[in-house]
Amino acid sequence: MLLKYFYDQKLAHASYLVGCQRAKEAVIVDPGRDIEPYIELADREGLKITAVAETHIHADYVSGARELADRVGAKLYVSDEGPSDWKYLYLEPYDHQLLHDGDHFMLGKIRFDVLHTPGHTPESISFVLTDQGGGADKPMGIFTGDFVFVGSIGRPDLLEEAAGLAGTAEPGARDLFRSAERFKSMPDYLQVWPAHGAGSACGKGLGAIPSSTVGYEKLFNPALQFTDEEEFVKYILADQPEAPKYFAVMKRVNKEGPKVLGAGHHHAILDVGQVSDALKSGTVVDVSPSPDFAKGHVPGSINIPIGMLAGWAGWLVDYDRPTYLICQPDQLEEAARVLHKIGVEEIVGGFDTNQVRAAGLASEVYATGTPADLSSAIESGEVQLIDVRSNDEWKAGHIEQAEHRFLGRLPANLDGLSGDKKIVVQCQSGARSSIGVSVLQAAGIKNVINLTGGYAAWKSDQLPSVQGQACCT
């Protein structure tokens, strides 16, 4: 048996190739949309990808299951558990098998047993692997998807928080408690292979270690220490990270079937004469480093540096309009690939940032200032201070004069930001606040300053701060 681990750092997403070297076949577990790494590895190992096994309808990235079925003819093994609202709708043209608790399927001599493990989502299943070709009669490990992570457990509130399905969080938490009890009854030696690591919004406090064991998680995973259902429900529903609004889009896309991109999918550099029309028809995202954007950018564009695209484009890009990129030509395909992974489908193309500047289109700037530069104006109320950090960061400590307006919801939360008074935008380090400044400028609010160094620099300068509850924004 061959087991290979793939990790997409930008999405904190783990997927796996399991190969039967005797049968020369492979299955991909919870594939991401970019399927080339799976195909390349399988070719190197002399394997044919014949199957895909998916633990649930994912909410945080576009699945590569359909792409693999279409491109290489892989058979789809997917859940048929849960209510009718959460059934796969694109399966008919493809070879597939609907799975229920107690089912199993084989890849050569490798056996995959199916466990229904609801809670994170109603249809969630896990796969228990036994390498019968190696002579084993007991399982080696379990692919838990978004059910059990290293040091955490899948959140049950996403359907309610992100998809807007009211009243599903608490029943999901109770399902999750029962699934956790089932997990704790499994052998301690069983390896645990989850679909996410640290940084994912699919749970709180995920560990950065790629795998674990059932026994270790039973000892040290905070979510598995509860024996009382009510206490577990209270714990698991509290203090979850903000659920990105694009998660609702992902659930729909992965249920209905993502668009097949196909081999050779690519994007073109566009003529800069089209920039004006792009601003009118869609979202124009400049992926330049924030200091470069501050010194000159196209009015109406928003700035999401390329390394932050995966985390923030899903919050800030309008999925119902076309997307255009301003970038270096050699960045275009990578930026588009990241956007496709989070379901941004209509990427018209990119504008060469050098040509944009040469044409004099980068005519807008914004100011920056350190805490030393701005503290007096902030404390006197001369400027309006906006803190765009998360709820948890705000509660842990913030500048007393700040208003909390989380970056992901900033485009819809502009009331009271007329620009009559200078606005200072602040985060922890200055990175997210620079995105926030671009959002405000694109909305027509021009008198904006980025607090360089953010709250960390404010504290380093020993300037005053307070603690408190997160506000509604």
Side-chain angles (χ1 to χ4, degrees), residues 269-277 350-359 361:
I269 290 291
L270 306 172
D271 189 287
V272 292
Q274 300 178 50
V275 168
S276 179
D277 289 339
F351 299 105
D352 183 338
T353 186
N354 299 310
Q355 294 179 8
V356 167
R357 295 181 183 281
L361 299 175

Side-chain angles (χ1 to χ4, degrees), residues 158-315:
L158 278 182
L159 294 183
E160 186 162 331
E161 292 297 318
L165 298 180
T168 57
E170 184 175 330
R174 297 188 185 281
D175 285 343
L176 191 59
F177 177 78
R178 289 185 284 274
S179 295
E181 290 299 296
R182 186 178 190 185
F183 176 86
K184 289 190 281 187
S185 71
M186 304 183 81
D188 284 355
Y189 64 80
L190 210 62
Q191 296 179 60
V192 175
W193 302 306
H196 290 292
S200 170
C202 289
K204 56 181 176 180
L206 277 69
I209 299 170
S211 65
S212 185
T213 64
V214 169
Y216 190 86
E217 294 307 306
K218 283 161 61 176
L219 286 172
F220 300 111
N221 188 320
L224 299 179
Q225 306 312 306
F226 294 89
T227 57
D228 179 83
E229 182 173 335
E230 299 305 320
E231 290 299 313
F232 174 85
V233 169
K234 186 186 303 182
Y235 163 81
I236 204 64
L237 293 179
D239 300 321
Q240 290 286 2
E242 287 87 352
K245 67 177 184 179
Y246 81 91
F247 277 20
V249 177
M250 293 300 89
K251 291 294 285 186
R252 175 181 56 76
V253 165
N254 286 326
K255 179 176 75 169
E256 296 176 358
K259 174 184 175 182
V260 175
L261 297 178
H265 180 77
H266 67 281
H267 305 82
I269 290 291
L270 306 172
D271 189 287
V272 292
Q274 300 178 50
V275 168
S276 179
D277 289 339
L279 291 164
K280 295 173 185 175
S281 66
T283 305
V284 178
V285 181
D286 188 327
V287 302
S288 302
S290 295
D292 294 345
F293 186 87
K295 294 173 185 174
H297 54 269
V298 175
S301 65
I302 63 171
N303 178 217
I304 310 178
I306 194 165
M308 301 176 75
L309 268 180
W312 293 105
W315 286 102

Side-chain angles (χ1 to χ4, degrees), residues 24-67:
K24 299 188 182 306
E25 295 181 350
V27 59
I28 310 299
V29 181
D30 285 332
R33 191 172 201 179
D34 182 8
I35 67 170
E36 296 303 332
Y38 310 125
I39 294 173
E40 291 170 5
L41 178 64
D43 286 346
R44 287 200 305 271
E45 297 290 343
L47 302 171
K48 180 181 179 181
I49 298 173
T50 59
V52 171
E54 194 155 70
T55 55
H56 65 296
I57 300 172
H58 294 276
D60 56 316
Y61 66 90
V62 177
S63 165
R66 185 179 192 180
E67 193 82 19

